[in-house]
Amino acid sequence: GINSYQIYPNESKYVPEDVCSIGVEIIFEDKNALNVFMEHPKHYEANSIFEEYLADPPYMVLTYEVPVT
């Protein structure tokens, strides 16, 4: 249910200079595809792998839904 994704450097002025931050944008087919992704066991497995590399606290972790126009 993923239509596309993009990974890019997060160059926000709110991220401290000593923190390397990336942005990930994922476009899903529909809300159901988003829900399947968010609840999938592999999603949690990946999070646990990357947790040790996350800043404490993590900077700008955002999940939001863009309304379809």
Side-chain angles (χ1 to χ4, degrees):
I2 295 175
N3 287 340
S4 64
Y5 67 91
Q6 178 181 356
I7 300 172
Y8 54 90
N10 180 359
E11 297 172 347
S12 169
K13 66 181 180 180
Y14 300 107
V15 177
E17 287 185 24
D18 63 339
V19 172
C20 177
S21 180
I22 62 169
V24 179
E25 176 183 86
I26 305 172
I27 307 296
F28 294 92
E29 277 179 10
D30 53 28
K31 180 132 181 156
N32 183 59
L34 168 63
N35 291 338
V36 168
F37 176 82
M38 293 301 289
E39 296 172 5
H40 196 281
K42 291 286 186 183
H43 183 80
Y44 294 103
E45 185 180 320
N47 283 347
S48 69
I49 292 169
F50 289 110
E51 268 182 351
E52 67 180 279
Y53 302 105
L54 295 177
D56 186 18
Y59 289 91
M60 301 187 63
V61 175
L62 303 174
T63 301
Y64 61 93
E65 183 177 341
V66 177
V68 176
T69 56

